[in-house]
Amino acid sequence: MTANVPLARDASATGARTPESWAMRPIDPGDGGFLDALYETTRLEEVVAWGLAIDAARLFLAAQARTQRAGYAIQYPAAEHWALVTGGMRVGRLVLDVAGPAWRVVDLSVMPAHRERGLGTWALHYVQGRAKRAEAPVRLTVATSNPARRLYARLGFSVTSGDGEHLAMEWRPR
């Protein structure tokens, strides 16, 4: 894993400045509860709609979050796992696999209260800046219903394929 990065304030590929309070640091074993809570924010509404009571839904999602992390560890053993931090508080995560010739954003999640403030853009600019230096394309998959796909398109990711539910997207350095 890469060392702690109080991510240089020029994390973007364009050199744009970012708030001094934004940083990334490697995920550590003590982040499990935060990662469970973050995952819950992405799925709770859906799972409650199935008819599960809120407490049962939360238990189910905590188990799914742990299973997801274990799956990522198996599928992407060399991936970098970053906590996105603002004002000293963990508010998101980035899982980035740089092992192959094409890099993969495995996961980028931000707590709802911190979305649409530029943190996801900042994290992706960091990835794009590194990928540009490595001359590596960056790939990701996004649900067609996920509003983040507009962000990816705005940052230069192009759709390479889709199955109706998900889109495969790629960014190539210039």
Side-chain angles (χ1 to χ4, degrees):
M1 171 148 335
T2 307
N4 191 357
V5 176
L7 267 185
R9 300 304 153 205
D10 66 347
S12 79
T14 63
R17 294 190 50 82
T18 58
E20 293 297 320
S21 64
W22 290 358
M24 287 178 19
R25 66 153 178 81
I27 293 289
D28 64 46
D31 289 325
F34 161 72
L35 294 171
D36 290 353
L38 180 62
Y39 184 83
E40 180 182 299
T41 70
T42 67
R43 303 279 316 280
L44 184 61
E45 187 176 308
E46 170 194 356
V47 171
V48 169
W50 298 345
L52 286 179
I54 193 81
D55 290 340
R58 286 194 163 118
L59 285 172
F60 172 76
L61 290 171
Q64 272 205 324
R66 290 187 297 274
T67 301
Q68 181 192 59
R69 291 194 299 276
Y72 286 169
I74 292 166
Q75 192 173 4
Y76 306 101
E80 300 171 2
H81 297 257
W82 297 98
L84 304 179
V85 179
T86 182
M89 184 173 69
R90 299 166 299 189
V91 298
R93 81 159 173 184
L94 168 66
V95 180
L96 177 65
D97 184 26
V98 299
W103 293 10
R104 174 161 296 279
V105 174
V106 177
D107 187 48
L108 176 59
S109 299
V110 177
M111 288 290 207
H114 296 275
R115 292 179 188 154
E116 297 187 24
R117 296 182 181 187
L119 187 60
T121 300
W122 176 76
L124 287 169
H125 279 165
Y126 167 73
V127 171
Q128 289 174 316
R130 283 181 59 196
K132 184 174 184 175
R133 289 186 294 280
E135 299 179 1
V138 179
R139 296 179 180 153
L140 58 81
T141 302
V142 62
T144 56
S145 61
N146 188 332
R149 68 185 250 219
R150 290 188 303 273
L151 165 65
Y152 304 143
R154 192 171 68 244
L155 294 179
F157 285 82
S158 302
V159 174
T160 58
S161 66
D163 63 10
E165 289 187 33
H166 295 90
L167 299 172
M169 300 182 82
E170 181 176 86
W171 173 85
R172 292 192 161 275
R174 292 178 251 164

